Amino acid sequence: MDKKTVGLSDAFKGQTAPKSFVKNEIKGTKFTIAVSSAKGGVGKSTFAMNFALSLKSIGFKVGILDADIYGPSLPKMMGIKEKPKSEDGKSMAPVNQYGVQCMSIGFLVDEDTPMIWRGPMVTSAIKTFTQKVSWNNLDFIIVDMPPGTGDTQLTFAQEIKVDGVIIVSTPQEIALLDVKRGINMFDKLKVPILGLVDNMSFFESEEGKKYNIFGEDGVEKVAKDYKKKFLGKIPINVDLRIAADSGKPLVEEKPEHKISIIFKEIALKIKESFL
Ligand SMILES: Nc1ncnc2c1ncn2[C@@H]1O[C@H](COP(=O)(O)OP(=O)(O)OP(=O)(O)O)[C@@H](O)[C@H]1O
Ligand SMILES: [Mg+2]
């Protein structure tokens, strides 16, 4: 009698086997660094713009890719009203601002138009921005990620060559939970984590008194627990917020500001990781 075994047919096994992805590099740059955090509103975009401008200030050629399709921040934070041009009808040229090459979905739609898109459309937009933009001769592209661990993060982790990710968080318990999820996601997807940044770390009054509004040293502790590098603390600072809203990031507006110096120190640490 035939011995029958219960199991998956070869054809079905083929369908359910883990998919292997080809990682495409973004042409026109040597390195790609993503700025991420699983939680929203912790200062990823503010960090990404000022960090990119700090890398520029220490001599690198830099681009910023705004990967937040539902909530692009780059046009407002970098003060860009221009639309990208296409010479050949196939690729788009990034918009130059403060010596940095920039691309955002926000360049292509009105400021108050909502992007009512399902996941596959977002993935397709990300592929266009990484493959069809004529990034030119850059050392670094800084990718400003949306919050969460969704389609955009997965597309970058699986299908695009990302050389490293910087995780930004506030030191608050509820934000740290998301940081741990973020660390586990990037570890699982084998994207190197370059380090963690503690944003809105504390508030310092004019008299020099420090207030730990969101808690103390939380991000540094998570970095230690997960054996990741701790890159630094950025305090809550009104000049940083005003500069972001005015369209000229603080690092560009006031390079000697104490907060700009912190960004520069982080840029120098990242430089060490690459060169
Ligand atoms: N260190 C800081 N001091 C003062 N204000 C800050 C600081 N960091 C960020 N902000 C302000 O906090 C708000 C949220 O920052 P931002 O938009 O950069 O966060 P985000 O993580 O990119 O948000 P999202 O998840 O929506 O993309 C902005 O108004 C920004 O100007
Ligand atoms: Mg943002």
Side-chain angles (χ1 to χ4, degrees):
M1 207 173 71
D2 277 354
K3 215 170 125 194
K4 286 196 174 168
T5 51
V6 178
L8 297 175
S9 71
D10 285 347
F12 191 70
K13 271 186 199 156
Q15 282 173 28
T16 55
K19 240 175 147 180
S20 63
F21 290 94
V22 178
K23 290 199 178 190
N24 293 302
E25 62 179 36
I26 305 181
K27 292 198 182 76
T29 185
K30 287 191 193 124
F31 304 110
T32 300
I33 299 177
V35 175
S36 195
S37 84
K39 192 158 189 64
V42 294
K44 291 176 293 299
S45 302
T46 308
F47 177 83
M49 310 298 142
N50 283 287
F51 171 65
L53 288 160
S54 300
L55 283 172
K56 183 202 75 172
S57 80
I58 59 171
F60 292 110
K61 296 198 196 82
V62 184
I64 310 174
L65 169 55
D66 183 355
D68 195 340
I69 303 296
Y70 296 117
S73 300
L74 189 151
K76 172 90 180 144
M77 286 189 179
M78 291 288 282
I80 300 173
K81 294 223 162 62
E82 208 179 315
K83 293 209 178 305
K85 295 184 181 70
S86 175
E87 301 255 297
D88 56 4
K90 287 185 196 144
S91 64
M92 255 185 307
V95 174
N96 273 297
Q97 181 75 315
Y98 312 132
V100 170
Q101 296 174 27
C102 301
M103 184 52 69
S104 168
I105 191 89
F107 296 161
L108 308 172
V109 293
D110 287 336
E111 208 174 57
D112 51 2
T113 302
M115 300 301 295
I116 312 172
W117 280 3
R118 289 195 192 274
M121 294 279 284
V122 171
T123 307
S124 155
I126 297 297
K127 285 184 184 161
T128 303
F129 284 165
T130 50
Q131 303 306 322
K132 300 263 162 69
V133 171
S134 47
W135 302 103
N136 186 13
N137 194 25
L138 297 175
D139 296 306
F140 291 101
I141 286 182
I142 307 306
V143 184
D144 179 18
M145 300 289 266
T149 51
D151 285 313
T152 304
Q153 283 76 4
L154 208 55
T155 305
F156 270 95
Q158 293 184 318
E159 301 184 52
I160 296 158
K161 186 182 150 278
V162 176
D163 299 286
V165 54
I166 297 176
I167 297 180
V168 178
S169 180
T170 61
Q172 195 182 356
E173 288 292 327
I174 194 84
L176 296 175
L177 262 183
D178 284 342
V179 168
K180 292 172 190 171
R181 281 188 203 116
I183 293 177
N184 285 330
M185 177 187 71
F186 287 114
D187 278 351
K188 206 171 206 166
L189 297 168
K190 300 195 166 39
V191 180
I193 295 173
L194 301 173
L196 272 57
V197 171
D198 188 345
N199 187 36
M200 308 195 201
S201 197
F202 55 87
F203 173 76
E204 193 172 348
S205 71
E206 276 173 14
E207 300 78 45
K209 189 164 166 23
K210 278 188 182 174
Y211 297 86
N212 295 306
I213 293 173
F214 292 118
E216 199 176 1
D217 297 333
V219 180
E220 193 166 12
K221 189 169 176 306
V222 173
K224 216 176 247 164
D225 290 349
Y226 284 76
K227 299 189 170 49
K228 306 294 174 196
K229 221 185 239 178
F230 180 66
L231 295 169
K233 291 181 177 181
I234 303 166
I236 297 178
N237 186 278
V238 69
D239 298 337
L240 184 62
R241 201 272 304 152
I242 291 172
D245 281 346
S246 79
K248 193 166 191 189
L250 192 66
V251 163
E252 187 66 19
E253 172 95 348
K254 292 181 184 153
E256 301 311 323
H257 194 289
K258 61 181 179 189
I259 304 289
S260 302
I261 308 280
I262 298 175
F263 275 104
K264 197 170 174 182
E265 282 164 3
I266 296 176
L268 287 167
K269 282 186 193 164
I270 295 299
K271 177 185 171 185
E272 274 171 28
S273 309
F274 285 91
L275 306 165

